[in-house]
Amino acid sequence: MREPKLREIDHRAFLRRLNPIVEVYAAAMRPPRDQLPGRHTIMQRHASYPGFRAFVAERRGALPGLSGPVRGFVYGFHGGAGQWWHDVVYRALVEKGGPEHAAAWMDDAFEVAELHVHPDHQGQGLGRALLNALCEGRSERTAVLSTLDSPPDSPARNLYRSVGMIDLLTDFEFPGGGPRYAVMGGMLPLAAKR
């Protein structure tokens, strides 16, 4: 079987692949199916944000019965005031460490909005390759993201720590409820694999 190839895609190509991208998200995160239309809308909106960048891991000519041509994806954009996630995290960081602390992490941040690999392809370095490709050459000072907080030694948390990210917030609940998250941040460029 051929390995998936990483491709950088612009916002138009991202939108054309949005249905299979949401299916990878669904397979990796296993949310209730009724939440997927909302996730689709959010991802569609993100593609219009400044500095949007995306990569997919895909294989052309996928065989029937496999997970489809998109095996994994990652995207992000320049975070800024007026964006929901940015504003919620900024306020929480001000509460935790003051305005200077929040500004140090969020004033010139690249937000890694989503990084998911289909479960059939996890554990093969694809997530790391996607993350490194996404963040390579970015001009922002920091990279920030949120990931499920539990367990604290999950493969995702370990990946982010291995590139120099640290916990900025833990046991954090976004407005509207749901699971607890860790907000993590790192200086760009990301550290080499440790």
Side-chain angles (χ1 to χ4, degrees), residues 53 74 105 110 112 115 127-138 140-145 159-166 184-194:
R53 187 177 198 191
V74 65
W105 285 105
F110 181 62
V112 180
L115 168 58
R128 177 180 304 280
L130 286 163
L131 179 63
N132 287 338
L134 181 72
C135 293
E136 184 177 347
R138 291 301 299 197
E140 292 89 352
R141 194 168 47 81
T142 61
V144 292
L145 57 83
L159 167 60
Y160 301 136
R161 285 188 191 107
S162 76
V163 296
M165 290 188 159
I166 61 169
M184 301 181 75
M187 303 305 290
L188 289 174
L190 295 177
K193 183 178 177 180
R194 291 191 247 171

Side-chain angles (χ1 to χ4, degrees), residues 44-53 76-78 82-84 111:
Q44 189 173 28
R45 182 174 59 246
H46 286 167
S48 70
Y49 282 9
F52 177 83
R53 187 177 198 191
F77 43 80
H78 185 84
Q83 297 169 359
W84 181 83
E111 180 185 329

Side-chain angles (χ1 to χ4, degrees), residues 13-30:
F14 178 82
L15 293 174
R16 283 194 304 271
R17 289 172 172 85
L18 198 47
N19 287 334
I21 282 172
V22 170
E23 287 304 316
V24 170
Y25 168 86
M29 296 298 290
R30 292 173 285 160

Side-chain angles (χ1 to χ4, degrees), residues 16 34 57 71 83 90 111 139 154 169 172 188:
R16 283 194 304 271
D34 64 349
R71 306 298 198 224
Q83 297 169 359
Y90 195 97
E111 180 185 329
S139 63
S154 70
L169 300 167
F172 183 70
L188 289 174

